[in-house]
Amino acid sequence: GEDVEQSLFLSVREGDSSVINCTYTDSSSTYLYWYKQEPGAGLQLLTYIFSNMDMKQDQRLTVLLNKKDKHLSLRIADTQTGDSAIYFCAEVASGNTGKLIFGQGTTLQVKP
Amino acid sequence: DGGITQSPKYLFRKEGQNVTLSCEQNLNHDAMYWYRQDPGQGLRLIYYSQIVNDFQKGDIAEGYSVSREKKESFPLTVTSAQKNPTAFYLCASSTSGIAEQFFGPGTRLTVL
C-alpha cells in the first residue's frame, strides 16, 4: 500500500541549514506537500511541489524532488529557533478522493 | 477572516459517553476531512466528505460517525464503541479532492 517515511528527529544549531528527508511509495502522486506543526496546534501548509518539478524555492525553503528514487527533501536555510516544530511530508493518495498520506513527522530542534 | 474553527480546544469525556467535536469553515470549500493524531505518529484519516450530504470512511472509521448537512460544517461524533479515543483530532478542508488541505487548530480529547 501507499506509505510515507520520515526520520523522526533532527537537531541543528541556529543559523545552520536543516534538511528534512522523506520517501514515498506512490509514483503516481501529483502533488507532494510539506506541513509544519507547532506544539498543540494544527498543521500549517508550508509549501508543495508538483510531480513534474525537480525543485521549488520559496524564500528560505527549498524543496527537492527525486522521482526516480521517490525521495523528497525540505531544506530550511538559516534555521531559526522559531523553526522548531514537527514537519510532515504528505502525498496525495491514488484515486480522486483527495486523501493525503502523511509521514510520521520529523521533530526539528533548533539550538541557540 | 476566512478559516477553519474547531471547538472545543480541550474536551474531557467519561468512558461510555458519546461526544461530538465541531468543525466549521468559511472558506467555501467543498471537501472536508477528519484526522486523528497520536504521539509520534502521522495523521490517520477517519472520515472525509467531498460534497454536502455525502461522506466516506477513511482508514480508521470504526467507533466514529459524521454528518455533512451543510457545506461549512462537518461534525465528528466519537462514540462509546471507540476503544481508545484519547487523541488529538484535526479537521481540514480543501477546494476540491485534489487541492491542498487547510487545517483547523485541533481538539484534544481525553477520556477519563
Side-chain angles (χ1 to χ4, degrees):
Chain A
E2 295 155 321
D3 194 21
V4 178
E5 296 282 339
Q6 297 178 240
S7 53
L8 295 181
F9 187 78
L10 175 66
S11 180
V12 300
R13 292 266 178 214
E14 192 174 19
D16 289 348
S17 292
S18 307
V19 180
I20 301 170
N21 295 300
C22 171
T23 58
Y24 60 96
T25 56
D26 188 351
S27 58
S28 65
S29 286
T30 51
Y31 288 94
L32 294 135
Y33 298 95
W34 283 104
Y35 284 88
K36 175 183 180 182
Q37 185 181 35
E38 296 183 357
L43 272 65
Q44 172 194 353
L45 178 64
L46 278 180
T47 187
Y48 63 91
I49 188 165
F50 190 53
S51 58
N52 68 353
M53 299 170 67
D54 298 323
M55 185 182 88
K56 180 179 179 181
Q57 188 154 1
D58 184 0
Q59 298 183 328
R60 292 191 298 122
L61 305 178
T62 303
V63 178
L64 295 178
L65 176 60
N66 181 330
K67 285 195 71 175
K68 175 176 170 289
D69 295 336
K70 296 179 188 164
H71 182 267
L72 182 73
S73 67
L74 174 70
R75 178 177 180 270
I76 305 173
D78 187 24
T79 312
Q80 304 296 306
T81 54
D83 294 323
S84 294
I86 303 175
Y87 291 81
F88 292 93
C89 68
E91 65 170 346
V92 179
S94 57
N96 192 22
T97 62
K99 289 172 60 175
L100 292 181
I101 310 298
F102 285 87
Q104 312 96 304
T106 299
T107 298
L108 175 63
Q109 180 189 66
V110 182
K111 296 180 180 177
Chain B
D1 283 335
I4 304 173
T5 57
Q6 292 185 242
S7 61
K9 188 170 177 62
Y10 299 97
L11 188 56
F12 297 90
R13 186 194 95 174
K14 292 183 180 178
E15 279 194 30
Q17 288 181 336
N18 291 356
V19 64
T20 298
L21 282 60
S22 169
C23 177
E24 304 275 333
Q25 53 97 2
N26 61 4
L27 300 167
N28 200 34
H29 285 171
D30 288 311
M32 296 186 75
Y33 307 83
W34 273 106
Y35 293 92
R36 170 183 171 135
Q37 184 180 24
D38 294 284
Q41 297 190 35
L43 279 66
R44 293 183 290 169
L45 183 65
I46 305 172
Y47 268 98
Y48 64 103
S49 167
Q50 293 182 293
I51 198 167
V52 176
N53 292 321
D54 188 42
F55 50 83
Q56 286 78 39
K57 292 181 179 180
D59 301 316
I60 55 164
E62 186 176 349
Y64 300 97
S65 66
V66 293
S67 62
R68 187 84 188 278
E69 297 175 1
K70 298 186 293 183
K71 187 176 185 178
E72 59 269 24
S73 179
F74 191 40
L76 173 74
T77 297
V78 184
T79 75
S80 56
Q82 169 50 235
K83 298 291 184 238
N84 185 21
T86 295
F88 191 49
Y89 291 87
L90 288 158
C91 178
S93 70
S94 66
T95 56
S96 70
I98 57 170
E100 62 266 24
Q101 294 179 20
F102 295 90
F103 283 79
T107 293
R108 185 165 299 280
L109 172 64
T110 302
V111 174
L112 304 172

